[in-house]
Amino acid sequence: MNRAIKLLILIIGSGLYHQFALGQQNTTNPSRVKNEIEFTVKPSTTDSTIKASDYPHLVMYDASIPQAKLFLFLPGTNGIPEKGPKELFKTAIQQGYRVINLSYINKQAVAGVCKGENLVNDCDCTEKFRTQRVFGTKMTTLIPDEPQDAIVHRLTKLIMYLNKIDEKGNWDMYLENGSINWNIITVAGQSQGGGMAAFIAKRELVNRVITFSGGWDFSKKSKIAKWYFNTSITPPERWFGTYHSQEPRASVIDETYRAMDIPENHIYPLNLKIREGKRAHGEGIRNIIYKELWIEILGDGHIK
């Protein structure tokens, strides 16, 4: 089915066709979570060796749900977890998830580092960049990330810390023999973070992966990075990707999604009116008019 038609059917089915047709914004009330708990934790609190990018992690969940999958969100370049897309997070909680918006080093954009001479000298620049930032393996001197700064390390230490301060929270279910239990974690992110989520899902079997406008890595001018074509441990039916059709890099993002074998009906080129004064690039995670879409791609967050 044509993707634009699919999205239109989704909009009609959710009662939002009138707003779509008139180019108006959704007036749906913000999400409500009855027993919502929300707090922040500095990365350095979980591991004193973490010095860089010590903006607090954001943790949100419904205390009445003892067994829940984890929705791990990775913000984009310069993203601060406390300022993350709360309505998306509340929707995830309503679906049964717990939410962590993870703080990691994100000031250097992949596209801002792996370009020009850096890309000419190393066509695998973006894969090395992401490997170091996600897993902590030293691959390049172009970014300052140390092993303790890595996304995986930060998440592991945060889960261990939460398990200590919330003994009844059963946070250790997200770890297995000290390593992350990816199978009950939906990994998502926006822009640079969306690319990081995809990079993780390539190498780990995650519950789902959702990339919102997830980056545009190149191996050379006008040629997308080779890592997009790497075999994925996470099967195609667990992959989802969105972007707004008015984004400057929309066509490249679409190309990367297809290279990663995201199913046609799991790719969503959003096309509703952009909020006043906002950019198309952030619409997929912040415009509540897409709540029904969020519910569809999040799936059930309960652990049966």
Side-chain angles (χ1 to χ4, degrees):
M1 180 184 295
N2 180 276
R3 290 167 293 152
I5 294 175
K6 183 179 185 296
L7 180 57
L8 181 56
I9 291 173
L10 176 65
I11 292 163
I12 294 172
S14 65
L16 298 177
Y17 177 73
H18 181 66
Q19 289 93 328
F20 173 82
L22 296 180
Q24 298 173 354
Q25 297 301 308
N26 180 26
T27 55
T28 303
N29 290 327
S31 304
R32 295 288 180 263
V33 178
K34 284 186 178 180
N35 299 289
E36 180 184 328
I37 292 178
E38 177 182 327
F39 59 94
T40 60
V41 180
K42 280 194 169 186
S44 59
T45 302
T46 71
D47 180 353
S48 61
T49 67
I50 298 175
K51 306 294 185 183
S53 191
D54 202 27
Y55 294 107
H57 305 298
L58 176 67
V59 180
M60 298 173 64
Y61 63 98
D62 184 337
S64 68
I65 304 176
Q67 296 285 326
K69 296 173 186 175
L70 179 63
F71 180 68
L72 172 65
F73 189 83
L74 302 170
T77 302
N78 292 318
I80 298 174
E82 286 181 276
K83 298 180 180 180
K86 295 288 185 69
E87 290 304 319
L88 171 62
F89 297 161
K90 290 179 181 180
T91 301
I93 294 170
Q94 289 177 332
Q95 289 298 104
Y97 285 97
R98 292 179 182 179
V99 174
I100 289 176
N101 191 8
L102 197 79
S103 174
Y104 69 101
I105 298 177
N106 59 23
K107 287 188 178 298
Q108 306 94 346
V110 182
V113 172
C114 294
K115 65 177 183 177
E117 185 177 340
N118 290 340
L119 196 58
V120 171
N121 292 337
D122 186 359
C123 64
D124 293 322
C125 178
T126 60
E127 183 169 6
K128 291 176 180 178
F129 181 114
R130 292 192 187 274
T131 299
Q132 187 161 321
R133 184 149 290 179
V134 173
F135 296 105
T137 308
K138 277 285 192 178
M139 302 289 289
T140 177
T141 58
L142 296 177
I143 54 175
D145 306 43
E146 296 295 331
Q148 68 269 23
D149 295 319
I151 288 169
V152 169
H153 179 83
R154 286 175 180 239
L155 176 61
T156 302
K157 289 297 184 179
L158 175 59
I159 293 171
M160 289 178 174
Y161 177 79
L162 294 174
N163 199 49
K164 287 181 180 179
I165 66 170
D166 182 14
E167 295 180 358
K168 296 182 179 179
N170 197 27
W171 289 93
D172 61 347
M173 66 182 165
Y174 304 118
L175 296 176
E176 192 169 23
N177 298 321
S179 297
I180 297 171
N181 183 10
W182 293 107
N183 197 44
I184 56 172
I185 299 176
T186 288
V187 184
Q190 195 264 345
S191 195
Q192 178 181 170
M196 297 301 180
F199 200 80
I200 291 170
K202 282 279 188 177
R203 301 190 182 194
E204 303 288 349
L205 179 62
V206 301
N207 176 66
R208 287 188 177 209
V209 54
I210 307 171
T211 171
F212 295 92
S213 301
W216 39 90
D217 294 6
F218 291 94
S219 59
K220 61 181 181 180
K221 187 176 181 180
S222 301
K223 186 174 182 180
I224 61 173
K226 292 183 289 183
W227 74 261
Y228 288 121
F229 299 92
N230 292 346
T231 300
S232 173
I233 300 299
T234 301
E237 62 270 18
R238 299 188 187 188
W239 284 76
F240 299 84
T242 81
Y243 62 89
H244 199 284
S245 59
Q246 294 183 39
E247 290 189 51
R249 295 285 189 174
S251 61
V252 179
I253 295 171
D254 185 81
E255 183 182 359
T256 66
Y257 288 176
R258 294 175 185 280
M260 292 188 289
D261 289 327
I262 300 179
E264 175 80 20
N265 63 344
H266 285 190
I267 298 175
Y268 299 85
L270 311 179
N271 56 10
L272 300 182
K273 184 178 179 181
I274 300 168
R275 294 165 300 154
E276 186 71 27
K278 304 300 182 181
R279 296 190 305 161
H281 191 51
E283 286 293 280
I285 61 169
R286 293 193 180 273
N287 194 340
I288 197 172
I289 200 168
Y290 295 116
K291 180 173 180 177
E292 293 297 324
L293 174 59
W294 296 342
I295 291 171
E296 178 178 331
I297 60 182
L298 283 164
D300 189 0
H302 296 88
I303 294 178
K304 309 299 184 184

